[in-house]
Amino acid sequence: QVVIGAGAATFAIVNCLTRWLVPGVASKTTQQKWKWRNVATSLVHSAITGVWAPLAFYQAPDMQDDLINKFTYSSHALVCFSIGYFLYDALDMLVYHRKRSTYELLVHHFLVVLCFSLAVTSRQYVAYGALSLMVEINSVFLHTRQLFIITHEPKSSMRYKTNALLNVATFLTCRILLLGWMTRWLTVHREEIPLTFFTAGSVGLAVIVVMNIILFCRILSVDFSGVFISSYNSEKGENCRAGHSRAIGYVRSLFQEEGPREGQ
């Protein structure tokens, strides 16, 4: 409980400090300013957790052999610290950003807090929870991308392109592959897992996997649509440009960017 409270307090302080760091281009409206500060706070969480999670497994490699019962003080504290962050972030969104996309993220946060809370209170599956936080490695690039979008960073700039490539690479490895492996692990160990834990884990993973697939499609559609268009035109010629552009526009409308941020 102390670590959970410390986590929530840490990010409340971080968010408070960001008020002096907001760039002028992101201060045109109150909503835009809040969004920049919220994403910057999430970036700090991702940076801390993205280092802490791999380090916890590096210090205790035997945890990967038993994700149910083995854990260390560091991995337990990591999960508790992240619970504090998700509770703080949920409250921040409820107070300042009551939109449809917020409630979708609140479902994500609720499921994460539920699963993590079951782990830390029962002292089981703590390593499994810590492993799931490896996704925060990718979240560093997701949140950086969102900050670029808020500040209108040109998509042609080198740092935007570099971040876009790292974002896709880590999304595939630290999200898609990891969540797939975790789903397989849950299925293989079905007989060893009590119904309560199995249900919470299955529902949580299912929702998060669907959200991540939609997010990945949206990223590809927005950041790499130019590549697809160029490739298509080189093969089909200029006559198909208008039709293909309309198709890309339709895809973008399906996965249009809205909401306070992308990914957790």
Side-chain angles (χ1 to χ4, degrees):
Q1 293 179 348
V2 174
V3 180
I4 293 174
T10 295
F11 293 104
I13 293 171
V14 168
N15 186 266
C16 184
L17 293 175
T18 59
R19 72 175 63 186
W20 290 287
L21 301 175
V22 184
V25 69
S27 303
K28 295 179 179 179
T29 65
T30 302
Q31 191 61 33
Q32 187 184 36
K33 189 174 182 178
W34 170 85
K35 189 174 182 180
W36 191 95
R37 292 176 59 191
N38 179 269
V39 176
T41 302
S42 298
L43 177 58
V44 173
H45 170 257
S46 297
I48 294 173
T49 311
V51 173
W52 193 347
L55 187 60
F57 279 90
Y58 175 77
Q59 294 174 332
D62 57 320
M63 282 199 303
Q64 63 186 330
D65 299 325
D66 184 0
L67 296 176
I68 298 177
N69 298 306
K70 290 184 178 180
F71 68 92
T72 61
Y73 174 79
S74 178
S75 59
H76 192 273
L78 167 62
V79 176
C80 289
F81 186 74
S82 289
I83 290 175
Y85 160 73
F86 284 114
L87 288 174
Y88 164 76
D89 192 51
L91 180 62
D92 188 42
M93 289 189 292
L94 272 174
V95 174
Y96 297 106
H97 198 270
R98 294 186 182 182
K99 294 185 178 182
R100 181 179 62 84
S101 56
T102 294
Y103 295 109
E104 293 171 359
L105 273 173
L106 286 176
V107 170
H108 168 274
H109 284 18
F110 170 77
L111 290 171
V112 171
V113 170
L114 173 63
C115 293
F116 281 7
S117 297
L118 286 173
V120 298
T121 54
S122 67
R123 292 183 174 270
Q124 291 185 305
Y125 310 99
V126 174
Y128 189 79
L131 180 64
S132 71
L133 286 168
M134 293 283 191
V135 302
E136 295 299 331
I137 296 172
N138 168 250
S139 292
V140 170
F141 303 105
L142 275 176
H143 296 319
T144 300
R145 173 182 182 271
Q146 194 69 357
L147 289 176
F148 281 157
I149 291 172
I150 295 171
T151 56
H152 307 293
E153 177 73 19
K155 292 181 181 178
S156 58
S157 71
M158 182 56 67
R159 60 179 184 174
Y160 189 99
K161 289 180 178 180
T162 300
N163 186 77
L165 290 172
L166 290 172
N167 185 25
V168 169
T170 55
F171 202 110
L172 289 171
T173 54
C174 299
R175 283 184 184 270
I176 303 298
L177 291 180
L178 176 63
L179 292 173
W181 186 90
M182 292 180 69
T183 302
R184 178 184 177 279
W185 184 93
L186 202 64
T187 304
V188 170
H189 294 82
R190 168 67 184 91
E191 300 302 323
E192 305 172 45
I193 305 173
L195 182 61
T196 301
F197 290 90
F198 182 78
T199 302
S202 298
V203 173
L205 268 177
V207 172
I208 292 171
V209 166
V210 170
M211 290 179 71
N212 276 278
I213 290 173
I214 293 174
L215 175 58
F216 190 60
C217 290
R218 185 171 69 201
I219 290 169
L220 290 179
S221 141
V222 173
D223 286 355
F224 295 93
S225 59
V227 175
F228 300 144
I229 291 174
S230 297
S231 175
Y232 184 84
N233 285 336
S234 65
E235 294 178 4
K236 300 297 184 180
E238 295 297 326
N239 292 334
C240 297
R241 182 185 297 274
H244 187 69
S245 296
R246 284 194 297 271
I248 291 296
Y250 176 71
V251 172
R252 282 180 175 173
S253 70
L254 290 176
F255 302 108
Q256 59 184 346
E257 297 195 55
E258 61 174 80
R261 331 169 275 294
E262 300 173 330
Q264 288 293 343

